[in-house]
């Protein structure tokens, strides 16, 4: 490593928003860049303004616990009027109107950051750095204002420093000239793979860096930049990048410079997991563009984690969700279960000779091998009570606990997802049954993924088709996956399964949103509302440019929580039915409704179609609600 005599000040800005969920807010990309810069000879200083565990960014006077409480500090910033571009300052005691919300500063506020930067300036004077650089990550496009503020705060303390801004915001908005004109700097705009620390001419400029910085892609996270008392108890894993699909409202193809899906090697991922586990990290969060798109690679990671005894106690999460259609395309793991106890006693797979040889790298593969099916007992959970006594052609005979003979038939399928039929289920005395589930969901449950997140979004197939989502969203597949999740051990009423429901989209019917929320609550018990934000560089954003311009919306006004498309929806409904008048309260109540149907009673969510007192009361109150519906 060559010592450059340079200091990189790395900043994860605070958030200006009406709501903010602090979990998983670690600046993953910035911490990878930090490792790369260190390897290139930089000294480093991190200011993570969104760290719930930070002295300056956490909630003052609150003990933070990952399992129950991980919020950041907040203070009132301004009042915003929903559906408009109006934002104004009001005293803290101001009483909001029904069409208004408080906008808060979440995390370390600017004045505290300036204090800490000034303290740093005094500390670094004696080191006489040749150059000081300010590296700022910028995430959501509608949070760009805090990016501007931390840049100006840093330059007020270090006026000769050079700024480097990267992340989602500059990647999606540089083509609209937004960061070039809004951040208060005159920058050079470059692609991540063009960034060259040795190019003095390039590095003498402020920089807007878009897309991935390839040099940092596979680096470990520089978690040691956090003081021990402030270090987050989790880490974020990115094992793949990219998605082959282009949905109308998603920017994955822009962020990843195309639709190609790339994966890190199994060895690389496991080395990172083991090293962080040795350092004390127990919670690992997979943050991927499309977690299951490289299905076998993901399953290999799960299997490797389960097989490694040194990782005992690891907790795994995938909060971005698993795509329903992709999950259902996985090969089946068959579960032999005791019906009365709802207990798995053995698991099986059936696979073609062709695929097995292909996976093993054999060269003597024949096309007829595709129809030669191999049966295997993957797990016997009875300590030897499941015995294969005969395999003859398509039939497999098992002896269970010296009592029941089970006859299974292998069934060839052209799609490669071969099946097993339980031929004599009705004759078995132990009350056994066989069910096939996507292998990946079985492995996720076995590996300890505590919660599963499903992008239901809407139950209306026409809406899915309009946004190019038909490939994933289908109620039949959703129901099938939900049944599989229940069979492997997830409990919908304990909020182990969560469904994302999207609303606020142009062209939607508000009744459709209520229907989707009610359906999701009844089927999975936990609804996660997703207010629609038009993302720059997507088809939807470009499609509604006239509307955005007519309403004089900047990016901060397009935050879904502010209902930017309310006027569009109001006009749409009025054109459809002149007697109907959509009010902003209809959407704020809808948002509140989604939060309330998640309420837990006696440790579980309420089945609103059940016959309990709570469910009956809910239906009675809901039935009396007066609105446009």
């Amino acid at each position: 490593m060559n010592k450059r005599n340079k200091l990189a000040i790395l900043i994860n800005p605070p958030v200006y928003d009406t709501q903010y969920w602090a979990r998983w807010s670690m600046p993953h990309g910035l911490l990878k860049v930090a490792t790369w810069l260190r390897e290139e000879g930089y000294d480093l200083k991190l200011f993570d303004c969104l760290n719930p565990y930070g002295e300056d960014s956490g909630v003052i006077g609150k003990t933070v616990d990952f399992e129950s409480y991980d919020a950041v500090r907040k203070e009132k910033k301004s009042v915003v009027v929903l559906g408009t571009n109006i934002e104004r300052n009001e005293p803290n005691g101001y009483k909001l109107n029904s069409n208004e919300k408080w906008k808060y500063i979440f995390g370390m506020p600017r004045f505290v950051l300036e204090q800490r930067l000034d303290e740093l300036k005094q500390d670094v004077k004696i080191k006489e750095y040749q150059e000081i650089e300010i590296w700022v990550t910028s995430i959501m496009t509608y949070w760009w204002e805090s990016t501007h503020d931390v840049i100006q705060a840093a330059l007020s303390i270090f006026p000769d420093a050079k700024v480097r801004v990267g992340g989602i915001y500059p990647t999606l908005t540089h083509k609209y000239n937004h960061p070039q004109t809004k951040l208060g700097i005159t920058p050079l705009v470059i692609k991540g793979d063009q960034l060259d620390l040795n190019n003095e001419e390039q590095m003498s400029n402020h920089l807007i860096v878009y897309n991935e910085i390839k040099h940092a892609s596979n680096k470990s996270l520089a978690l040691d930049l956090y003081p021990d008392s402030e270090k987050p108890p989790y880490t974020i894993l990115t094992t793949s990048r990219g998605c082959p699909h282009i949905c109308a409202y998603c920017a994955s193809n822009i962020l990843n410079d195309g639709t190609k899906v790339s994966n890190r090697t199994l060895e690389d991922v496991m080395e990172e997991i083991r090293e962080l586990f040795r350092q004390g990290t127990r919670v690992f969060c997979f943050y991927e563009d499309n977690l299951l798109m490289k299905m076998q690679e993901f399953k290999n990671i799960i299997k490797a984690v389960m097989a490694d005894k040194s990782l005992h106690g690891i907790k795994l999460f995938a909060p971005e969700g698993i795509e329903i259609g992709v999950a259902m395309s996985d090969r089946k793991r068959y579960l032999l279960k005791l019906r009365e106890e709802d207990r798995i006693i053995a698991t099986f797979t059936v696979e073609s000779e062709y695929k097995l040889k292909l996976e093993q790298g054999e060269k003597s593969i024949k096309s007829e091998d595709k129809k030669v099916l191999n049966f295997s007992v993957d797990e016997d959970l009875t300590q030897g009570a499941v015995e294969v006594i005969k395999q003859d052609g398509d039939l497999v005979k098992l002896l269970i606990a010296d009592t029941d003979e089970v006859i299974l038939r292998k069934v060839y399928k052209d799609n490669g997802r071969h099946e097993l039929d339980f031929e004599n289920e009705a004759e078995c005395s132990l009350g056994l049954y066989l069910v096939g589930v996507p292998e990946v969901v079985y492995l996720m449950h076995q590996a300890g993924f505590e919660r599963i997140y499903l992008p239901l979004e809407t139950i209306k197939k026409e809406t899915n088709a309009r946004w190019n989502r038909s490939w994933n969203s289908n109620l039949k597949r959703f129901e099938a996956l939900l049944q599989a999740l229940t069979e492997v051990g997830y409990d919908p009423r304990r909020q182990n399964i969560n469904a994302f429901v999207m609303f606020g989209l142009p062209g939607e019917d508000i009744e459709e949103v209520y229907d989707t929320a009610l359906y999701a609550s009844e089927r999975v018990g936990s609804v996660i509302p997703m207010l629609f934000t038009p993302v720059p560089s997507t088809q939807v954003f470009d499609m509604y440019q006239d509307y955005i311009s007519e309403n004089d919306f900047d990016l901060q006004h397009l935050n879904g929580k502010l209902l930017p498309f309310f006027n569009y929806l109001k006009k749409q409904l009025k054109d459809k039915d002149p007697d109907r008048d959509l009010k902003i309260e209809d959407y704020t109540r809808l948002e509140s409704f989604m939060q309330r149907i998640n309420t837990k009673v006696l440790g579980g969510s309420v089945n609103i179609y059940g016959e309990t007192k709570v469910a009956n009361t809910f239906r009675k109150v809901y039935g009396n609600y007066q609105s446009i519906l």
Side-chain angles (χ1 to χ4, degrees), residues 375-601:
F375 169 87
S376 64
V377 178
D378 294 292
E379 295 169 300
D380 176 2
L381 306 176
T382 64
Q383 298 182 327
V386 177
E387 180 185 357
V388 180
I389 56 176
K390 187 177 181 181
Q391 289 204 52
D392 183 15
D394 289 337
L395 291 181
V396 179
K397 290 187 179 181
L398 309 173
L399 185 63
I400 311 297
D402 296 326
T403 302
D404 265 356
E405 186 178 271
V406 169
I407 301 174
L408 305 177
R409 180 178 295 278
K410 295 178 281 186
V411 180
Y412 172 82
K413 292 290 182 180
D414 289 333
N415 61 13
R417 297 192 291 277
H418 311 299
E419 297 181 356
L420 283 173
D421 283 347
F422 191 168
E423 296 244 310
N424 62 331
E425 178 180 345
E427 303 162 19
C428 288
S429 61
L430 294 175
L432 299 171
Y433 73 100
L434 186 73
V435 59
V437 301
E439 185 175 53
V440 67
V441 300
Y442 176 75
L443 292 174
M444 289 180 75
H445 185 265
Q446 293 298 102
F449 283 84
E450 295 181 359
R451 300 180 185 89
I452 296 293
Y453 299 85
L454 303 178
L456 174 63
E457 296 171 355
T458 177
I459 60 174
K460 193 170 182 179
K461 63 182 181 180
E462 291 84 2
T463 301
N464 281 317
R466 192 164 71 246
W467 305 125
N468 299 342
R469 289 285 291 169
S470 298
W471 63 271
N472 175 68
S473 300
N474 174 293
L475 274 188
K476 185 177 180 181
R477 286 197 292 257
F478 180 85
E479 288 284 347
L481 182 55
L482 181 59
Q483 180 62 35
L485 289 166
T486 304
E487 292 286 1
V488 303
Y490 289 103
D491 184 350
R493 299 262 71 87
R494 297 293 170 184
Q495 299 188 340
N496 293 153
I497 308 172
N498 305 268
F500 295 116
V501 174
M502 186 177 287
F503 66 107
L505 290 87
E508 78 181 3
D509 183 335
I510 197 169
E511 293 185 56
E512 164 196 343
V513 183
Y514 272 101
D515 287 345
T516 302
L518 288 167
Y519 168 79
S521 177
E522 192 272 332
R523 298 300 293 131
V524 306
S526 178
V527 177
I528 301 177
M530 293 172 57
L531 279 154
F532 171 71
T533 295
V535 180
S537 295
T538 62
Q539 296 173 32
V540 169
F541 184 85
D542 292 337
M543 188 185 309
Y544 292 96
Q545 271 297 296
D546 288 345
Y547 174 80
I548 292 169
S549 299
E550 287 167 8
N551 286 270
D552 198 22
F553 285 152
D554 200 345
L555 296 181
Q556 71 271 23
H557 306 126
L558 298 178
N559 184 337
K561 304 180 197 72
L562 307 184
L563 300 172
F565 279 97
F566 172 74
N567 290 324
Y568 186 95
L569 291 163
K570 182 182 176 75
K571 182 179 184 301
Q572 169 193 293
L573 182 63
K574 183 66 75 172
D575 291 344
K576 182 179 178 181
D577 186 345
D579 294 330
R580 286 184 169 187
D581 185 23
L582 188 66
K583 294 180 174 62
I584 204 80
E585 290 82 2
D586 288 303
Y587 268 93
T588 56
R589 287 169 182 162
L590 172 58
E591 187 178 5
S592 176
F593 168 80
M594 287 202 202
Q595 293 166 351
R596 294 186 183 197
I597 57 178
N598 289 335
T599 302
K600 285 186 176 182
V601 177

Side-chain angles (χ1 to χ4, degrees), residues 268-384:
D268 185 35
V269 173
M270 290 306 299
E271 181 181 347
E272 179 180 0
I273 292 174
R274 292 188 186 105
E275 180 57 32
L276 289 170
F277 196 87
R278 280 193 291 268
Q279 294 173 14
T281 301
R282 295 293 178 267
V283 180
F284 291 77
C285 168
F286 286 83
Y287 248 74
E288 319 278 338
D289 296 298
N290 196 322
L291 183 65
L292 304 185
M293 198 50 65
K294 291 281 189 177
M295 184 81 74
Q296 192 57 51
E297 287 84 347
F298 177 61
K299 292 196 296 185
N300 288 342
I301 294 170
I302 299 177
K303 291 175 182 177
V305 168
M306 288 193 290
D308 192 329
K309 303 294 185 186
S310 71
L311 297 177
H312 178 70
I314 193 171
K315 292 187 176 183
L316 302 174
F317 292 85
E320 292 287 271
I322 60 173
E323 296 287 9
I324 298 162
V326 182
M328 290 305 298
S329 70
D330 192 24
R331 78 172 182 176
K332 290 184 178 179
R333 175 75 70 101
Y334 281 87
L335 317 178
L336 188 62
K337 301 183 70 174
L338 288 167
R339 194 177 298 277
E340 281 193 12
E341 300 178 28
D342 192 28
R343 178 164 65 90
I344 302 169
I345 65 170
T347 72
F348 317 123
T349 52
V350 56
E351 193 55 88
S352 70
E353 188 80 14
Y354 181 90
K355 187 165 183 181
L356 291 173
K357 287 182 177 180
L358 199 64
E359 289 175 355
Q360 293 164 8
E362 292 189 26
K363 295 182 179 179
S364 58
I365 305 177
K366 304 173 184 175
S367 59
E368 51 263 36
D369 289 336
K370 291 181 179 180
K371 294 199 174 184
V372 178
L373 302 183
N374 286 274
F375 169 87
S376 64
V377 178
D378 294 292
E379 295 169 300
D380 176 2
L381 306 176
T382 64
Q383 298 182 327

Side-chain angles (χ1 to χ4, degrees), residues 243-255:
C243 177
H245 301 284
I246 301 178
C247 299
Y249 54 76
C250 179
S252 175
N253 63 304
I254 306 298
L255 294 171

